[in-house]
Amino acid sequence: MSAQDQHELPPPLPPGDPYQPPLNSTPPLADNGHEGSVGAGIAICLALMVFGGPMLGIVMSVVMGLLSATGISLYALAWLPALLGPLILPVIAGIWFTRKGQRKTAKGIWLGFAIGIGLVLLLLAACFGLLAGSNFH
């Protein structure tokens, strides 16, 4: 046995030790080994970013309408979920899928979130580039 082989093996257990080493060193996967799909995560994230904000805005408008019947008027806050929804919903979904054990789906959601932010930044840069020569008028 070479020195490298001895380095890879754990030391022997003392006689009578009740410890039994695990058969496999990898942790068990949640949901019978199903880690999800990166493509599904990207699709979920982009759907949340495109449709989640408007849906939150509709829900909040209904809630604000019900609250106005009681005399509480918070219509000024009804637009807030529609603006922050595309940023908050993918983060919540990514955390949820990570805790659920579907690591590949969570990675896809974070990747989709990065793609969405990148597209927004590219659109912003293109708009500034187009308007830079026109004195922004």
Side-chain angles (χ1 to χ4, degrees):
M1 209 185 279
S2 68
Q4 185 181 12
D5 291 338
Q6 289 177 350
H7 185 267
E8 292 177 8
L9 297 175
L13 296 173
D17 190 2
Y19 171 74
Q20 295 295 322
L23 299 175
N24 192 356
S25 62
T26 59
L29 298 174
D31 197 19
N32 296 329
H34 182 63
E35 291 184 338
S37 167
V38 175
I42 293 172
I44 290 169
C45 179
L46 294 179
L48 285 173
M49 290 178 88
V50 171
F51 300 114
M55 292 307 290
L56 276 176
I58 291 169
V59 169
M60 287 301 293
S61 295
V62 170
V63 169
M64 295 302 159
L66 294 174
L67 285 176
S68 68
T70 63
I72 301 170
S73 179
L74 298 174
Y75 278 113
L77 299 177
W79 55 270
L80 195 60
L83 292 178
L84 296 179
L87 296 174
I88 294 173
L89 290 175
V91 172
I92 292 171
I95 292 170
W96 185 69
F97 277 108
T98 302
R99 287 188 170 197
K100 193 176 173 186
Q102 294 187 355
R103 294 180 293 196
K104 288 184 180 179
T105 305
K107 286 179 186 177
I109 288 175
W110 297 118
L111 183 61
F113 189 68
I115 290 171
I117 297 298
L119 287 174
V120 168
L121 290 176
L122 283 173
L123 180 63
L124 184 69
C127 289
F128 271 105
L130 289 172
L131 293 174
S134 66
N135 201 14
F136 292 98
H137 287 131

